[in-house]
Amino acid sequence: MTYLGRLTTCSLLALSVGGPALAEELAVVGSWSGLPLHKQYEAPFWSEKLPELSGGGLTAALTTHDQMGIGGGDVYRMLSQGVFDVGMTVADYAVADSAALEALDVPLIATDAATAKKAVEAARPMVDDIYRDVFNAKVLGIAPYPPQVVFCNTEIGSLDDLQGKKVRASGRMTAKFLEALGAEGVNIGFGEVPGALQRGVVDCAITGAGSGYNAGWWEVSTHLLPLPLGGWDPVVTAINLDKWNTLSEDQQSVLETGVRDHFEAPAWETAQTALENDIKCLTGSGECPYGDARGMILVEASAADAEKAKAVLISEVLPDWAARAGGDWAERWSASVGKVTGVSIPAN
């Protein structure tokens, strides 16, 4: 039987058999197995901290979507069907199911971790509604990958130099942003990027600085522009709503506060330092705490870059999203995320 089969069987047995041990073991699917968020925060929480916090009353059978061989875009769909109990992946992977969800991760809305955290907290009520209505799930937490920066295998000196280039985007909003800059947004899976950069299929690609370091993008890239052009790629942890409703109030409390205090909070606390360390590791501009420092060329973003980016965001990217999302999402976003970041969507 495949691992997916065992997870499904485990979930079905947990609902049908009265034994407490089965009922309290959660089938958990995490985000990318090789990246720091999973190794440093997800795996220790589910494998060690949760059993400790619950006195052994809650445990987890943990794997990740890449180990299971399923696409990131399928995680929450499968979660909604009860294939497993808890799922974690980048929210941008799920925007095909909800255009409204794109607004959780707006390019360049936050240039530091503190602002990004405020934006995510402001967006949380909207995200809660989306996951309940679209994915039959309850959100337990939202943690960041490091900001999604630009790796190029060609010489660049500013944001303007992306014009005319083919750039792997990390989400629908980022692709729209690139188009507004005169670049061509290209949809390529994370694991396919190194080959695409090497063969010239794309000139540049966007991902987290730490993700790029761990995945060896420095081997096929020469220039690094550390503007959060792809946002912060928040990873949403959610539990199937039917499963949530079978848990006792004590179990729910332990699970919800545990994710908040021992997974989500530590990931946010180290986000800014992680970016600074990742840049050192990629460019050799300081001591790398993770391993060997590499020699990419650091392209410092200018005030003109930031001003141009914000203008494009307000005039083109956000109005395009508002039109596609429909309903009152634009109004809700402006009154929440827009309020804490100083950005509002122009009225039609």
Side-chain angles (χ1 to χ4, degrees), residues 40 47 136 149 152 208 215 224 299 316:
Q40 295 176 17
S47 299
N136 185 39
V149 298
C152 287
L224 180 73
V299 181
E316 299 190 46

Side-chain angles (χ1 to χ4, degrees), residues 205-221:
I206 295 173
T207 196
S211 302
Y213 176 80
N214 281 278
W217 286 22
W218 44 268
E219 294 183 292
V220 289
S221 305

Side-chain angles (χ1 to χ4, degrees), residues 22-340:
L22 282 174
E24 294 163 354
E25 181 178 64
L26 301 174
V28 180
V29 175
S31 61
W32 291 98
S33 61
L35 299 185
L37 183 68
H38 177 75
K39 293 190 287 187
Q40 295 176 17
Y41 303 109
E42 285 179 4
F45 173 77
W46 293 104
S47 299
E48 301 168 15
K49 196 66 181 179
L50 181 62
E52 175 190 325
L53 292 171
S54 65
L58 286 172
T59 60
L62 176 66
T63 185
T64 64
H65 71 82
D66 56 307
Q67 290 172 332
M68 291 174 67
I70 64 173
D74 292 324
V75 170
Y76 299 127
R77 293 172 190 157
M78 296 174 75
L79 178 68
S80 72
Q81 298 163 3
V83 175
F84 38 80
D85 301 319
V86 178
M88 290 161 278
T89 195
V90 177
D92 270 344
Y93 293 168
V95 297
D97 295 301
S98 171
L101 189 57
E102 295 174 27
L104 174 61
D105 191 29
V106 176
L108 290 166
I109 200 72
T111 56
D112 60 76
T115 305
K117 186 172 186 289
K118 289 179 183 177
V120 166
E121 288 173 345
R124 179 64 184 268
M126 293 186 290
V127 178
D128 287 346
D129 288 350
I130 292 167
Y131 275 74
R132 181 195 65 220
D133 297 340
V134 178
F135 300 114
N136 185 39
K138 175 181 172 55
V139 175
L140 296 173
I142 305 176
Y145 274 137
Q148 306 295 291
V149 298
V150 187
F151 291 73
C152 287
N153 197 20
T154 185
E155 184 175 353
I156 60 169
S158 70
L159 199 60
D160 284 338
D161 292 334
L162 295 181
Q163 185 172 354
K165 291 184 170 54
K166 293 172 290 184
V167 185
R168 182 259 185 179
S170 57
R172 176 66 183 81
M173 265 203 188
T174 302
K176 178 63 180 177
F177 187 86
L178 290 168
E179 292 169 11
L181 292 175
E184 178 186 349
V186 180
N187 183 20
I188 295 177
F190 177 80
E192 301 170 6
V193 170
L197 282 166
Q198 191 170 37
R199 297 191 306 273
V201 174
V202 293
D203 304 297
C204 306
I206 295 173
T207 196
S211 302
Y213 176 80
N214 281 278
W217 286 22
W218 44 268
E219 294 183 292
V220 289
S221 305
T222 56
H223 289 65
L224 180 73
L225 176 64
L227 267 177
L229 213 63
W232 289 71
D233 252 12
V235 170
V236 176
T237 298
I239 183 170
N240 176 275
L241 200 52
D242 297 327
K243 179 63 178 181
W244 173 258
N245 290 332
T246 69
L247 301 179
S248 69
E249 289 185 8
D250 285 345
Q251 290 172 329
Q252 290 177 348
S253 178
V254 167
L255 184 56
E256 195 162 20
T257 58
V259 169
R260 183 191 66 205
D261 296 342
H262 298 283
F263 170 22
E264 183 184 42
W268 278 111
E269 286 170 8
T270 59
Q272 188 65 40
T273 302
L275 171 61
E276 295 164 0
N277 287 334
D278 293 339
I279 291 173
K280 292 175 184 176
C281 291
L282 287 164
T283 65
S285 57
E287 185 177 350
C288 175
Y290 312 132
D292 294 333
R294 307 304 174 178
M296 293 186 68
I297 297 170
L298 180 62
V299 181
E300 296 285 2
S302 67
D305 285 334
E307 185 177 341
K308 178 174 183 176
K310 187 172 183 179
V312 168
L313 179 67
I314 294 172
S315 65
E316 299 190 46
V317 179
L318 285 170
D320 173 78
W321 166 74
R324 286 184 292 101
D328 64 350
W329 291 110
E331 183 179 340
R332 291 184 66 180
W333 188 92
S334 292
S336 54
V337 181
K339 186 175 181 179
V340 301

